Amino acid sequence: MTAPALDVFQVIADPSRRQMLHLLSNESMTINALAENFDMSRPAVSKHIKIMYNAGFISITDIGRERYCTLKQDGFNELQDFINYFDKFWTSKLKKLETILNNKAGK
Amino acid sequence: MTAPALDVFQVIADPSRRQMLHLLSNESMTINALAENFDMSRPAVSKHIKIMYNAGFISITDIGRERYCTLKQDGFNELQDFINYFDKFWTSKLKKLETILNNKAGK
DNA sequence: ATAATGAGTAACTTTTAGGTTACGTAAAGT
DNA sequence: ACTTTACGTAACCTAAAAGTTACTCATTAT
């Protein structure tokens, strides 16, 4: 179960990973603690964690034999950039519409 | 090449589809016009369009034998919701940090 | 009327993400 | 010292996404 290197968009494409991110938004958790919330084997969870780590969504701190996973902002920023681009598209489109309407009102 | 029903996260997981959305942010385009920008067959593009249409990212207007694809906001809104959730997480985390720093400064 | 064009559908192949079990290793418990 | 626990890694399997070619249909052009 070697983890493939996925980009941020592929990371959040998986429902289980999105769920893990939600769980981690409440508290830092170990691999096993996370695995208890899912109907899949621990190695499967382990792989997901690695994928999210590689894409910059989480940081990992080893404490003894445990690995604590914590949310990290980097991965989310890339997503934000994507959304922002299209956000600008909609708002500028809206402004154009406003301009047209104002011109009509003015005449 | 029947198109599978994918959710908004799976839609933007594909680089070609993200590229198509970018192209459509400049102007509405037909299937063929889109296909010219990609190193893949027209049926392949056609399938991507169907997937994005089903997920609410584009609307389609038939003019004669041509299909004009236009960006639609619905799909993006779902993504925005996801981002917003974690955005709140980061800002509230930052506020907690501020509170701690202020308390220290006050003593 | 016939040819050419724009696009959807069907059948098929390939790739790969996501899961499994089996095993190895280091830290903690008894 | 031995056992248990927490995790990673390897080898493997399966399902499905993404691509292809071949075909058909409807619209436009000649």
PDB file of all heavy atoms in Angstrom, chain A residues 29-58:
ATOM      1  N   MET A  29      -5.272  14.070  16.135  1.00  0.00           N
ATOM      2  CA  MET A  29      -5.564  12.665  16.407  1.00  0.00           C
ATOM      3  C   MET A  29      -4.452  11.750  15.915  1.00  0.00           C
ATOM      4  O   MET A  29      -3.742  12.083  14.969  1.00  0.00           O
ATOM      5  CB  MET A  29      -6.876  12.264  15.719  1.00  0.00           C
ATOM      6  CG  MET A  29      -8.109  13.006  16.204  1.00  0.00           C
ATOM      7  SD  MET A  29      -9.557  12.693  15.162  1.00  0.00           S
ATOM      8  CE  MET A  29     -10.023  11.060  15.721  1.00  0.00           C
ATOM      9  N   THR A  30      -4.356  10.597  16.552  1.00  0.00           N
ATOM     10  CA  THR A  30      -3.403   9.591  16.090  1.00  0.00           C
ATOM     11  C   THR A  30      -4.036   8.794  14.952  1.00  0.00           C
ATOM     12  O   THR A  30      -5.238   8.889  14.717  1.00  0.00           O
ATOM     13  CB  THR A  30      -3.033   8.615  17.226  1.00  0.00           C
ATOM     14  OG1 THR A  30      -4.207   7.884  17.592  1.00  0.00           O
ATOM     15  CG2 THR A  30      -2.503   9.358  18.435  1.00  0.00           C
ATOM     16  N   ILE A  31      -3.218   8.003  14.292  1.00  0.00           N
ATOM     17  CA  ILE A  31      -3.716   7.183  13.181  1.00  0.00           C
ATOM     18  C   ILE A  31      -4.819   6.248  13.670  1.00  0.00           C
ATOM     19  O   ILE A  31      -5.884   6.153  13.060  1.00  0.00           O
ATOM     20  CB  ILE A  31      -2.569   6.345  12.582  1.00  0.00           C
ATOM     21  CG1 ILE A  31      -1.378   7.241  12.197  1.00  0.00           C
ATOM     22  CG2 ILE A  31      -3.061   5.547  11.381  1.00  0.00           C
ATOM     23  CD1 ILE A  31      -1.545   8.006  10.948  1.00  0.00           C
ATOM     24  N   ASN A  32      -4.577   5.566  14.760  1.00  0.00           N
ATOM     25  CA  ASN A  32      -5.571   4.630  15.285  1.00  0.00           C
ATOM     26  C   ASN A  32      -6.861   5.320  15.700  1.00  0.00           C
ATOM     27  O   ASN A  32      -7.950   4.816  15.424  1.00  0.00           O
ATOM     28  CB  ASN A  32      -4.997   3.872  16.489  1.00  0.00           C
ATOM     29  CG  ASN A  32      -4.386   2.544  16.062  1.00  0.00           C
ATOM     30  OD1 ASN A  32      -4.677   2.033  14.991  1.00  0.00           O
ATOM     31  ND2 ASN A  32      -3.527   1.996  16.898  1.00  0.00           N
ATOM     32  N   ALA A  33      -6.743   6.463  16.342  1.00  0.00           N
ATOM     33  CA  ALA A  33      -7.930   7.215  16.753  1.00  0.00           C
ATOM     34  C   ALA A  33      -8.766   7.574  15.540  1.00  0.00           C
ATOM     35  O   ALA A  33      -9.995   7.491  15.558  1.00  0.00           O
ATOM     36  CB  ALA A  33      -7.518   8.467  17.515  1.00  0.00           C
ATOM     37  N   LEU A  34      -8.098   7.957  14.465  1.00  0.00           N
ATOM     38  CA  LEU A  34      -8.797   8.274  13.226  1.00  0.00           C
ATOM     39  C   LEU A  34      -9.470   7.027  12.666  1.00  0.00           C
ATOM     40  O   LEU A  34     -10.642   7.057  12.274  1.00  0.00           O
ATOM     41  CB  LEU A  34      -7.805   8.822  12.194  1.00  0.00           C
ATOM     42  CG  LEU A  34      -7.588  10.330  12.180  1.00  0.00           C
ATOM     43  CD1 LEU A  34      -6.401  10.675  11.305  1.00  0.00           C
ATOM     44  CD2 LEU A  34      -8.829  11.042  11.678  1.00  0.00           C
ATOM     45  N   ALA A  35      -8.712   5.933  12.650  1.00  0.00           N
ATOM     46  CA  ALA A  35      -9.197   4.685  12.043  1.00  0.00           C
ATOM     47  C   ALA A  35     -10.489   4.196  12.694  1.00  0.00           C
ATOM     48  O   ALA A  35     -11.326   3.576  12.036  1.00  0.00           O
ATOM     49  CB  ALA A  35      -8.119   3.614  12.134  1.00  0.00           C
ATOM     50  N   GLU A  36     -10.654   4.481  13.990  1.00  0.00           N
ATOM     51  CA  GLU A  36     -11.868   4.046  14.690  1.00  0.00           C
ATOM     52  C   GLU A  36     -13.130   4.645  14.088  1.00  0.00           C
ATOM     53  O   GLU A  36     -14.211   4.106  14.269  1.00  0.00           O
ATOM     54  CB  GLU A  36     -11.774   4.441  16.174  1.00  0.00           C
ATOM     55  CG  GLU A  36     -10.866   3.523  16.975  1.00  0.00           C
ATOM     56  CD  GLU A  36     -10.616   4.051  18.379  1.00  0.00           C
ATOM     57  OE1 GLU A  36     -11.367   4.946  18.796  1.00  0.00           O
ATOM     58  OE2 GLU A  36      -9.665   3.592  19.025  1.00  0.00           O
ATOM     59  N   ASN A  37     -12.979   5.765  13.397  1.00  0.00           N
ATOM     60  CA  ASN A  37     -14.139   6.435  12.803  1.00  0.00           C
ATOM     61  C   ASN A  37     -14.486   5.937  11.406  1.00  0.00           C
ATOM     62  O   ASN A  37     -15.424   6.431  10.798  1.00  0.00           O
ATOM     63  CB  ASN A  37     -13.880   7.940  12.737  1.00  0.00           C
ATOM     64  CG  ASN A  37     -13.785   8.566  14.115  1.00  0.00           C
ATOM     65  OD1 ASN A  37     -14.791   8.874  14.713  1.00  0.00           O
ATOM     66  ND2 ASN A  37     -12.573   8.707  14.637  1.00  0.00           N
ATOM     67  N   PHE A  38     -13.711   4.993  10.910  1.00  0.00           N
ATOM     68  CA  PHE A  38     -13.939   4.561   9.538  1.00  0.00           C
ATOM     69  C   PHE A  38     -14.067   3.052   9.408  1.00  0.00           C
ATOM     70  O   PHE A  38     -13.486   2.306  10.195  1.00  0.00           O
ATOM     71  CB  PHE A  38     -12.814   5.069   8.634  1.00  0.00           C
ATOM     72  CG  PHE A  38     -12.763   6.555   8.528  1.00  0.00           C
ATOM     73  CD1 PHE A  38     -12.011   7.304   9.428  1.00  0.00           C
ATOM     74  CD2 PHE A  38     -13.482   7.213   7.549  1.00  0.00           C
ATOM     75  CE1 PHE A  38     -11.976   8.688   9.342  1.00  0.00           C
ATOM     76  CE2 PHE A  38     -13.451   8.585   7.461  1.00  0.00           C
ATOM     77  CZ  PHE A  38     -12.698   9.331   8.351  1.00  0.00           C
ATOM     78  N   ASP A  39     -14.825   2.666   8.416  1.00  0.00           N
ATOM     79  CA  ASP A  39     -15.030   1.256   8.143  1.00  0.00           C
ATOM     80  C   ASP A  39     -13.958   0.777   7.164  1.00  0.00           C
ATOM     81  O   ASP A  39     -14.259   0.295   6.080  1.00  0.00           O
ATOM     82  CB  ASP A  39     -16.438   1.059   7.557  1.00  0.00           C
ATOM     83  CG  ASP A  39     -16.771  -0.407   7.385  1.00  0.00           C
ATOM     84  OD1 ASP A  39     -16.184  -1.235   8.105  1.00  0.00           O
ATOM     85  OD2 ASP A  39     -17.615  -0.729   6.519  1.00  0.00           O
ATOM     86  N   MET A  40     -12.722   0.952   7.550  1.00  0.00           N
ATOM     87  CA  MET A  40     -11.622   0.481   6.701  1.00  0.00           C
ATOM     88  C   MET A  40     -10.437   0.136   7.591  1.00  0.00           C
ATOM     89  O   MET A  40     -10.386   0.536   8.757  1.00  0.00           O
ATOM     90  CB  MET A  40     -11.234   1.552   5.675  1.00  0.00           C
ATOM     91  CG  MET A  40     -10.524   2.754   6.238  1.00  0.00           C
ATOM     92  SD  MET A  40      -9.938   3.929   4.985  1.00  0.00           S
ATOM     93  CE  MET A  40     -11.433   4.807   4.552  1.00  0.00           C
ATOM     94  N   SER A  41      -9.521  -0.632   7.052  1.00  0.00           N
ATOM     95  CA  SER A  41      -8.370  -1.083   7.839  1.00  0.00           C
ATOM     96  C   SER A  41      -7.451   0.078   8.215  1.00  0.00           C
ATOM     97  O   SER A  41      -7.475   1.121   7.578  1.00  0.00           O
ATOM     98  CB  SER A  41      -7.588  -2.123   7.041  1.00  0.00           C
ATOM     99  OG  SER A  41      -7.008  -1.506   5.911  1.00  0.00           O
ATOM    100  N   ARG A  42      -6.655  -0.124   9.253  1.00  0.00           N
ATOM    101  CA  ARG A  42      -5.741   0.907   9.692  1.00  0.00           C
ATOM    102  C   ARG A  42      -4.708   1.257   8.615  1.00  0.00           C
ATOM    103  O   ARG A  42      -4.445   2.446   8.378  1.00  0.00           O
ATOM    104  CB  ARG A  42      -5.033   0.484  10.986  1.00  0.00           C
ATOM    105  CG  ARG A  42      -4.214   1.588  11.623  1.00  0.00           C
ATOM    106  CD  ARG A  42      -3.211   1.036  12.604  1.00  0.00           C
ATOM    107  NE  ARG A  42      -2.524  -0.135  12.120  1.00  0.00           N
ATOM    108  CZ  ARG A  42      -1.553  -0.104  11.227  1.00  0.00           C
ATOM    109  NH1 ARG A  42      -1.172   1.018  10.692  1.00  0.00           N
ATOM    110  NH2 ARG A  42      -0.982  -1.223  10.846  1.00  0.00           N
ATOM    111  N   PRO A  43      -4.132   0.267   7.914  1.00  0.00           N
ATOM    112  CA  PRO A  43      -3.198   0.623   6.835  1.00  0.00           C
ATOM    113  C   PRO A  43      -3.832   1.528   5.783  1.00  0.00           C
ATOM    114  O   PRO A  43      -3.145   2.389   5.230  1.00  0.00           O
ATOM    115  CB  PRO A  43      -2.830  -0.735   6.236  1.00  0.00           C
ATOM    116  CG  PRO A  43      -2.985  -1.697   7.355  1.00  0.00           C
ATOM    117  CD  PRO A  43      -4.140  -1.191   8.167  1.00  0.00           C
ATOM    118  N   ALA A  44      -5.112   1.338   5.530  1.00  0.00           N
ATOM    119  CA  ALA A  44      -5.810   2.191   4.562  1.00  0.00           C
ATOM    120  C   ALA A  44      -5.816   3.635   5.057  1.00  0.00           C
ATOM    121  O   ALA A  44      -5.500   4.562   4.303  1.00  0.00           O
ATOM    122  CB  ALA A  44      -7.228   1.697   4.341  1.00  0.00           C
ATOM    123  N   VAL A  45      -6.137   3.813   6.333  1.00  0.00           N
ATOM    124  CA  VAL A  45      -6.131   5.157   6.920  1.00  0.00           C
ATOM    125  C   VAL A  45      -4.723   5.731   6.853  1.00  0.00           C
ATOM    126  O   VAL A  45      -4.521   6.887   6.482  1.00  0.00           O
ATOM    127  CB  VAL A  45      -6.614   5.114   8.383  1.00  0.00           C
ATOM    128  CG1 VAL A  45      -6.445   6.473   9.043  1.00  0.00           C
ATOM    129  CG2 VAL A  45      -8.067   4.661   8.445  1.00  0.00           C
ATOM    130  N   SER A  46      -3.777   4.896   7.176  1.00  0.00           N
ATOM    131  CA  SER A  46      -2.375   5.301   7.161  1.00  0.00           C
ATOM    132  C   SER A  46      -1.979   5.859   5.794  1.00  0.00           C
ATOM    133  O   SER A  46      -1.263   6.858   5.706  1.00  0.00           O
ATOM    134  CB  SER A  46      -1.506   4.084   7.497  1.00  0.00           C
ATOM    135  OG  SER A  46      -0.213   4.473   7.853  1.00  0.00           O
ATOM    136  N   LYS A  47      -2.460   5.224   4.770  1.00  0.00           N
ATOM    137  CA  LYS A  47      -2.136   5.666   3.419  1.00  0.00           C
ATOM    138  C   LYS A  47      -2.769   7.020   3.116  1.00  0.00           C
ATOM    139  O   LYS A  47      -2.134   7.908   2.543  1.00  0.00           O
ATOM    140  CB  LYS A  47      -2.608   4.643   2.390  1.00  0.00           C
ATOM    141  CG  LYS A  47      -2.034   4.885   1.003  1.00  0.00           C
ATOM    142  CD  LYS A  47      -2.675   4.003  -0.034  1.00  0.00           C
ATOM    143  CE  LYS A  47      -4.099   4.395  -0.283  1.00  0.00           C
ATOM    144  NZ  LYS A  47      -4.699   3.691  -1.447  1.00  0.00           N
ATOM    145  N   HIS A  48      -4.026   7.175   3.530  1.00  0.00           N
ATOM    146  CA  HIS A  48      -4.711   8.454   3.322  1.00  0.00           C
ATOM    147  C   HIS A  48      -3.951   9.587   4.011  1.00  0.00           C
ATOM    148  O   HIS A  48      -3.808  10.670   3.459  1.00  0.00           O
ATOM    149  CB  HIS A  48      -6.145   8.383   3.850  1.00  0.00           C
ATOM    150  CG  HIS A  48      -7.079   7.660   2.944  1.00  0.00           C
ATOM    151  ND1 HIS A  48      -7.295   8.034   1.638  1.00  0.00           N
ATOM    152  CD2 HIS A  48      -7.862   6.567   3.137  1.00  0.00           C
ATOM    153  CE1 HIS A  48      -8.170   7.216   1.072  1.00  0.00           C
ATOM    154  NE2 HIS A  48      -8.529   6.305   1.967  1.00  0.00           N
ATOM    155  N   ILE A  49      -3.508   9.299   5.220  1.00  0.00           N
ATOM    156  CA  ILE A  49      -2.762  10.313   5.980  1.00  0.00           C
ATOM    157  C   ILE A  49      -1.508  10.733   5.225  1.00  0.00           C
ATOM    158  O   ILE A  49      -1.195  11.920   5.107  1.00  0.00           O
ATOM    159  CB  ILE A  49      -2.386   9.760   7.372  1.00  0.00           C
ATOM    160  CG1 ILE A  49      -3.644   9.561   8.214  1.00  0.00           C
ATOM    161  CG2 ILE A  49      -1.402  10.684   8.081  1.00  0.00           C
ATOM    162  CD1 ILE A  49      -4.386  10.834   8.518  1.00  0.00           C
ATOM    163  N   LYS A  50      -0.831   9.738   4.690  1.00  0.00           N
ATOM    164  CA  LYS A  50       0.403  10.029   3.947  1.00  0.00           C
ATOM    165  C   LYS A  50       0.110  10.916   2.740  1.00  0.00           C
ATOM    166  O   LYS A  50       0.855  11.857   2.437  1.00  0.00           O
ATOM    167  CB  LYS A  50       1.051   8.712   3.501  1.00  0.00           C
ATOM    168  CG  LYS A  50       2.481   8.863   3.032  1.00  0.00           C
ATOM    169  CD  LYS A  50       3.117   7.505   2.790  1.00  0.00           C
ATOM    170  CE  LYS A  50       4.625   7.641   2.543  1.00  0.00           C
ATOM    171  NZ  LYS A  50       5.253   6.312   2.366  1.00  0.00           N
ATOM    172  N   ILE A  51      -0.977  10.596   2.060  1.00  0.00           N
ATOM    173  CA  ILE A  51      -1.385  11.374   0.887  1.00  0.00           C
ATOM    174  C   ILE A  51      -1.661  12.824   1.283  1.00  0.00           C
ATOM    175  O   ILE A  51      -1.203  13.762   0.620  1.00  0.00           O
ATOM    176  CB  ILE A  51      -2.640  10.749   0.239  1.00  0.00           C
ATOM    177  CG1 ILE A  51      -2.269   9.453  -0.478  1.00  0.00           C
ATOM    178  CG2 ILE A  51      -3.306  11.721  -0.721  1.00  0.00           C
ATOM    179  CD1 ILE A  51      -3.455   8.637  -0.950  1.00  0.00           C
ATOM    180  N   MET A  52      -2.384  13.002   2.382  1.00  0.00           N
ATOM    181  CA  MET A  52      -2.728  14.360   2.818  1.00  0.00           C
ATOM    182  C   MET A  52      -1.501  15.099   3.343  1.00  0.00           C
ATOM    183  O   MET A  52      -1.370  16.312   3.175  1.00  0.00           O
ATOM    184  CB  MET A  52      -3.831  14.293   3.876  1.00  0.00           C
ATOM    185  CG  MET A  52      -5.154  13.803   3.324  1.00  0.00           C
ATOM    186  SD  MET A  52      -6.554  13.979   4.459  1.00  0.00           S
ATOM    187  CE  MET A  52      -6.262  12.625   5.582  1.00  0.00           C
ATOM    188  N   TYR A  53      -0.621  14.349   3.957  1.00  0.00           N
ATOM    189  CA  TYR A  53       0.636  14.946   4.426  1.00  0.00           C
ATOM    190  C   TYR A  53       1.449  15.458   3.234  1.00  0.00           C
ATOM    191  O   TYR A  53       1.926  16.595   3.241  1.00  0.00           O
ATOM    192  CB  TYR A  53       1.429  13.910   5.225  1.00  0.00           C
ATOM    193  CG  TYR A  53       2.815  14.357   5.592  1.00  0.00           C
ATOM    194  CD1 TYR A  53       3.029  15.227   6.656  1.00  0.00           C
ATOM    195  CD2 TYR A  53       3.919  13.921   4.859  1.00  0.00           C
ATOM    196  CE1 TYR A  53       4.312  15.646   6.996  1.00  0.00           C
ATOM    197  CE2 TYR A  53       5.194  14.337   5.183  1.00  0.00           C
ATOM    198  CZ  TYR A  53       5.387  15.195   6.246  1.00  0.00           C
ATOM    199  OH  TYR A  53       6.661  15.618   6.573  1.00  0.00           O
ATOM    200  N   ASN A  54       1.593  14.608   2.220  1.00  0.00           N
ATOM    201  CA  ASN A  54       2.370  14.971   1.033  1.00  0.00           C
ATOM    202  C   ASN A  54       1.803  16.195   0.318  1.00  0.00           C
ATOM    203  O   ASN A  54       2.541  16.960  -0.291  1.00  0.00           O
ATOM    204  CB  ASN A  54       2.428  13.795   0.058  1.00  0.00           C
ATOM    205  CG  ASN A  54       3.353  12.690   0.538  1.00  0.00           C
ATOM    206  OD1 ASN A  54       4.267  12.918   1.331  1.00  0.00           O
ATOM    207  ND2 ASN A  54       3.102  11.472   0.087  1.00  0.00           N
ATOM    208  N   ALA A  55       0.486  16.370   0.407  1.00  0.00           N
ATOM    209  CA  ALA A  55      -0.158  17.490  -0.287  1.00  0.00           C
ATOM    210  C   ALA A  55      -0.242  18.737   0.602  1.00  0.00           C
ATOM    211  O   ALA A  55      -0.755  19.761   0.176  1.00  0.00           O
ATOM    212  CB  ALA A  55      -1.547  17.078  -0.761  1.00  0.00           C
ATOM    213  N   GLY A  56       0.272  18.641   1.826  1.00  0.00           N
ATOM    214  CA  GLY A  56       0.333  19.821   2.697  1.00  0.00           C
ATOM    215  C   GLY A  56      -0.924  20.119   3.478  1.00  0.00           C
ATOM    216  O   GLY A  56      -1.142  21.255   3.885  1.00  0.00           O
ATOM    217  N   PHE A  57      -1.763  19.110   3.687  1.00  0.00           N
ATOM    218  CA  PHE A  57      -3.000  19.324   4.441  1.00  0.00           C
ATOM    219  C   PHE A  57      -2.833  19.061   5.936  1.00  0.00           C
ATOM    220  O   PHE A  57      -3.608  19.565   6.737  1.00  0.00           O
ATOM    221  CB  PHE A  57      -4.126  18.435   3.915  1.00  0.00           C
ATOM    222  CG  PHE A  57      -4.761  18.939   2.666  1.00  0.00           C
ATOM    223  CD1 PHE A  57      -4.278  18.553   1.421  1.00  0.00           C
ATOM    224  CD2 PHE A  57      -5.834  19.813   2.721  1.00  0.00           C
ATOM    225  CE1 PHE A  57      -4.862  19.019   0.258  1.00  0.00           C
ATOM    226  CE2 PHE A  57      -6.424  20.281   1.567  1.00  0.00           C
ATOM    227  CZ  PHE A  57      -5.932  19.891   0.326  1.00  0.00           C
ATOM    228  N   ILE A  58      -1.832  18.243   6.282  1.00  0.00           N
ATOM    229  CA  ILE A  58      -1.623  17.942   7.693  1.00  0.00           C
ATOM    230  C   ILE A  58      -0.140  17.873   8.020  1.00  0.00           C
ATOM    231  O   ILE A  58       0.688  17.604   7.155  1.00  0.00           O
ATOM    232  CB  ILE A  58      -2.294  16.605   8.108  1.00  0.00           C
ATOM    233  CG1 ILE A  58      -1.702  15.456   7.302  1.00  0.00           C
ATOM    234  CG2 ILE A  58      -3.787  16.655   7.929  1.00  0.00           C
ATOM    235  CD1 ILE A  58      -2.243  14.115   7.739  1.00  0.00           C
TER     236      ILE A  58
END
